């Protein structure tokens, strides 16, 4: 009898343990847990390593995380952060100003002992946000200074009004200096994992299968509601949906927008999306080459496409048509629809430009699905059909994603599709990522006045001033039409009904999961 | 000597031909196969008449309509459609699937037949050369054939396309290369058997050159296994074209090609199964048509059944 009770007790324990495990299906396993750049890497990583600045629940509004408060100097070129006291990394290393400096120096300084970028580490995400490594053209972080145990100061190369927004980017989780030193170049890989201060602790990463995190019971903040999280990589959105349906995963991230009805009508799970996502998909035209060097051809291109119909067809309720490059929810927008669907006008413009019978060209579409184009081929086929209607006969082409991302900058693609999910919540992250001097090459676009406007807008002190500058930029982009803004999608996630507390924000599902609870 | 061959060959040929035709017609599955093939060839040729319009043009207003052929009358009324509007439904781009399947037949049949003809020409020449000349030449041919046969056909085709780059033309080249060894083997073994025959010896004695003997005497007498093989491998080639298209290595979207169409429907199979079913059935029927005819032709041409 005793043994039976023991057995039952053991079974009950197994039962609760199973209930306490949250299984998350995402489109792939992490590339690395150490400062990755894609959602599949960052969503698990951010559970373990925390940033100085985080976001309010479900929003892109910055709020304290490991830093409790901060202040800039007069021209926003020096920022001082006051750190949370009494926090330590889960390996026992104390969290203090030294640890913050260690992390930023490791990313910023190419000759840092634990940088390893020349040996194959990838801190590209750091260079996205901060303009490059120390000494690169355009780098932004000059030095990091330890003021006292819990005060750290960032000296920047110029004024940046949105520095806390940059720090809130999911890339900049802070790692235990001791663990980084012990792991060396292997730090962040399946065999070593990562150590942070977050609500979960890295447990195991079975390459090609799963990443397992366990609750940090000594977490300084709200202790997590589930005991373990298992992240699984399931490439196809259809398969993720099927697994969600079967109950073999509790949450399916990044489902196809076309599945919205299935998810919304299910009695076992429900759709969860942020209120708006800082994501844009656009269609690029390479204007260094004929025929897109002619503004009239680019305008004809814009008038030829019924964006509304395409977005309706392939994104359903979860997206809106984009008319400018800064997505809704950020400042610096003009809020206008400059190029309505008008195929007649498109034909006229083509004729004026010397193409009364149209022309042949190539339209390169993305080989992979991304939040901005979850079904790239479908969108490409529909767009190509609209273009053919006015005489722009575009052959659909694609190639390996890695090469694609290099080739668009080289001007190999007359027309192509691409997009952007924000690193941080500021218009600069969109405008600079497309149109600063280096990135405007992707459109064969060279407009020095615009480049000056962009750097002015980056450095301007007041919000009102910045807003005005971004509106000027929007007007230039509307007039020059280097690319056609296409869609502002929202990501669809499916969550089973016994799981609560998942609040994706405008930057994606890279949010702490300690708010999530799971009922039996 | 020209007279001698000219008078005997046609008589033999026509009697054999009549014989074969008679036996083929006694074969019900052969007739079925032939009927399917004729139907497909006709529908491919007359696709623009049967279903006028552009198979590539999207119409986003008529997306994902289920086949009206099997739609209930209430659904038809609700959607304001009549039974003949979209018999096989429409795809995610709002394109009529029947039109795309018919036009797809043009690509599949053309590429399938072309691939087989190219493979047969190259394979036959190789087989004749190897079989007739023997020695080191033959060793080289056999070596080449063994290499090609060492890889499964579709895998070899995929590797070739991977090197050449994905396109319909490259898929055609790849498929024909994978089929070359089949023809080489058939023709080579026929050549070896016929090389010692009396009429070949007679031609040699009369001073005919190698090309004349090979193409004038040996080849015509090894035609029957070739014909069977052509029929069979056209089916395989159609299947391979579709497979490469499905994998994104053959025809490129928005081409109305059966494999491409199945891959279009693949991710929507739950919501819109007809997207894959219609082209899938087309592939199934055309392949089985060629296989049935091929089987019947083999039976009809088998000398042991004489």
């Amino acid at each position: 009898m005793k043994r039976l009770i023991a057995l039952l007790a053991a079974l009950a324990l197994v039962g609760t343990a199973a209930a306490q495990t949250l299984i998350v299906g995402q489109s792939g396993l992490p590339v690395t847990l150490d400062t990755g750049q894609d959602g599949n890497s960052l969503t698990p990583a951010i559970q373990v390593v925390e940033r100085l600045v985080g976001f309010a629940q479900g929003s892109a509004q910055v709020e304290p995380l490991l830093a409790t408060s901060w202040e800039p100097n007069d021209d926003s070129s020096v920022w001082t952060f006051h750190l949370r006291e009494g926090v330590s990394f889960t390996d026992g290393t104390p969290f203090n100003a030294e640890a913050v400096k260690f992390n930023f120096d490791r990313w910023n300084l190419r000759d840092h002992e634990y940088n390893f970028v020349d040996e194959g580490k990838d801190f590209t995400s750091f260079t996205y946000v901060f303009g490059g490594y120390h000494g690169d053209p355009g780098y932004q972080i000059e030095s990091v200074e330890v003021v006292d145990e819990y005060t750290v100061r960032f000296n920047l190369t110029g004024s940046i009004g949105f520095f806390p927004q940059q720090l809130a980017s999911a890339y900049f989780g802070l790692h235990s200096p001791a663990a980084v030193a012990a792991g060396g170049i292997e730090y962040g890989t399946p065999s070593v994992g990562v150590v942070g201060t977050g609500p979960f602790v890295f447990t195991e990463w079975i390459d090609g299968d799963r990443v397992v995190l366990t609750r940090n019971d000594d977490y300084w903040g709200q202790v997590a509601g589930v005991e373990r999280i298992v992240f699984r990589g399931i490439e196809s959105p259809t398969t993720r949906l099927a697994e969600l349906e079967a109950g073999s995963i509790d949450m399916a991230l990044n489902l196809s927008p076309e599945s919205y009805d299935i998810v919304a009508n299910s009695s076992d799970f429900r759709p969860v999306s942020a209120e708006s996502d800082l994501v844009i998909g656009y269609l690029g035209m390479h204007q260094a080459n004929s025929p897109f060097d002619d503004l009239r051809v680019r305008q004809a291109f814009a008038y030829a496409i019924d964006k509304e119909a395409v977005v309706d067809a392939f994104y359903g309720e979860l997206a809106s048509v984009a008319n400018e490059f800064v997505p809704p929810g950020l400042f610096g927008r003009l809020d206008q629809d400059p190029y309505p669907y008008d195929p007649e006008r498109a034909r006229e413009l083509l004729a004026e430009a010397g193409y009364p019978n149209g022309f042949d060209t190539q339209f390169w579409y993305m080989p992979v699905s991304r939040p901005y184009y979850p079904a790239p081929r479908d969108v490409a086929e529909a767009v190509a059909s609209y273009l053919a209607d006015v005489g722009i006969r575009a052959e659909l082409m694609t190639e390996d994603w890695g090469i694609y991302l290099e080739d668009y900058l080289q001007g190999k693609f007359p027309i192509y599709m691409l997009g952007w999910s924000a690193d941080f919540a500021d218009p600069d992250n969109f405008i600079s990522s497309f149109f600063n001097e280096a990135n405007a090459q992707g459109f064969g676009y060279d407009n020095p006045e615009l480049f000056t406007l962009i750097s002015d807008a980056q450095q301007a002190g007041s919000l009102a001033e910045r807003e005005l500058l971004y509106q000027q930029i929007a007007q230039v982009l509307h007039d020059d039409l280097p690319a056609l803004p296409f869609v502002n999608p929202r990501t669809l996630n499916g969550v089973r009904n016994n799981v609560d507390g998942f609040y994706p924000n405008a930057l994606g599902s890279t949010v702490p999961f300690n708010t999530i609870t799971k009922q039996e | 000597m020209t007279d001698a061959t000219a008078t005997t060959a046609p008589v033999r040929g026509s009697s054999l031909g009549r014989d074969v035709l008679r036996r083929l017609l006694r074969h019900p599955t052969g007739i079925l196969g032939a009927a399917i093939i004729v139907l497909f060839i006709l529908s491919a040729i007359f696709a623009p008449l049967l279903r006028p319009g552009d198979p590539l043009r999207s119409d986003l207003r008529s997306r994902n309509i289920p086949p009206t052929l099997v739609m209930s009358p209430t659904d038809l009324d609700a959607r304001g459609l009549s039974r003949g509007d979209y018999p096989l439904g429409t795809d995610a781009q709002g394109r009529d699937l029947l039109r795309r399947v018919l036009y797809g037949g043009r690509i599949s049949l053309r590429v399938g037949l072309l691939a087989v003809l190219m493979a047969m020409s190259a394979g036959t020449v190789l087989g004749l050369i190897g079989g007739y000349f023997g020695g080191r030449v033959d060793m080289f041919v056999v070596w080449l054939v063994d290499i090609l046969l060492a890889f499964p056909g579709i895998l070899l085709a995929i590797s070739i396309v991977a090197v050449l780059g994905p396109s319909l033309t490259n898929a055609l080249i790849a498929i024909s290369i994978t089929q070359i060894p089949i023809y080489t083997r058939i023709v080579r073994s026929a050549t070896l058997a016929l090389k010692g025959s009396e009429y070949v010896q007679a031609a040699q004695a009369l001073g005919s050159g190698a090309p004349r003997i090979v193409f004038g005497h040996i080849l015509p007498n090894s035609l029957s296994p070739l014909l069977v093989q052509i029929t069979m491998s056209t089916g395989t080639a159609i299947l391979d074209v579709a497979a490469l298209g499905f994998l994104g290595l053959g025809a490129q979207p928005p081409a109305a090609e059966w494999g491409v169409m199945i891959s279009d429907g693949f991710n929507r199979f739950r919501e819109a199964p007809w997207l894959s079913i219609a082209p899938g059935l087309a592939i199934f029927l055309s392949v089985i048509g060629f296989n049935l005819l091929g089987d019947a032709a083999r039976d009809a041409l088998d000398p042991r059944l004489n």
Side-chain angles (χ1 to χ4, degrees), chain B residues 52-106:
Chain B
D54 182 354
L56 305 185
R57 194 177 185 286
S58 309
D59 182 358
L60 297 181
R61 285 160 306 176
S62 57
R63 301 179 66 232
N64 292 335
I65 298 176
T68 51
L69 202 61
V70 293
M71 212 186 260
S72 72
T74 39
D75 278 358
L76 282 176
D77 284 344
R79 291 170 182 264
L81 295 169
S82 65
R83 196 155 296 287
D85 278 351
Y86 303 107
L88 300 182
T90 63
D91 66 8
Q93 300 281 339
R95 297 174 297 214
D96 179 38
L97 274 179
L98 176 59
R99 182 184 299 138
R100 279 174 74 74
V101 168
L102 289 175
Y103 273 85
R106 298 184 132 196

Side-chain angles (χ1 to χ4, degrees), chain A residues 236 238 241-242 245 258-259 262 309-310 312-314 365 375 377-379 381-382 385-386 389 396 398, chain B residues 56-60 63-64 91-93 95 100 166 252-254 260-261 263-264 266-268 270-271:
Chain A
S236 144
T238 319
L241 180 57
E245 219 160 22
E258 283 190 84
S259 311
I262 298 177
V310 179
D312 258 8
F314 298 110
Y365 66 95
R377 184 168 125 189
D378 289 321
V379 172
E381 284 189 40
S385 181
Y386 279 111
D389 275 352
L396 292 182
T398 191
Chain B
L56 305 185
R57 194 177 185 286
S58 309
D59 182 358
L60 297 181
R63 301 179 66 232
N64 292 335
D91 66 8
Q93 300 281 339
R95 297 174 297 214
R100 279 174 74 74
Q252 294 298 308
V260 173
M261 292 168 68
S263 91
D264 263 342
F266 173 65
N267 278 323
R268 302 192 170 88
R270 279 180 50 136
E271 304 102 88

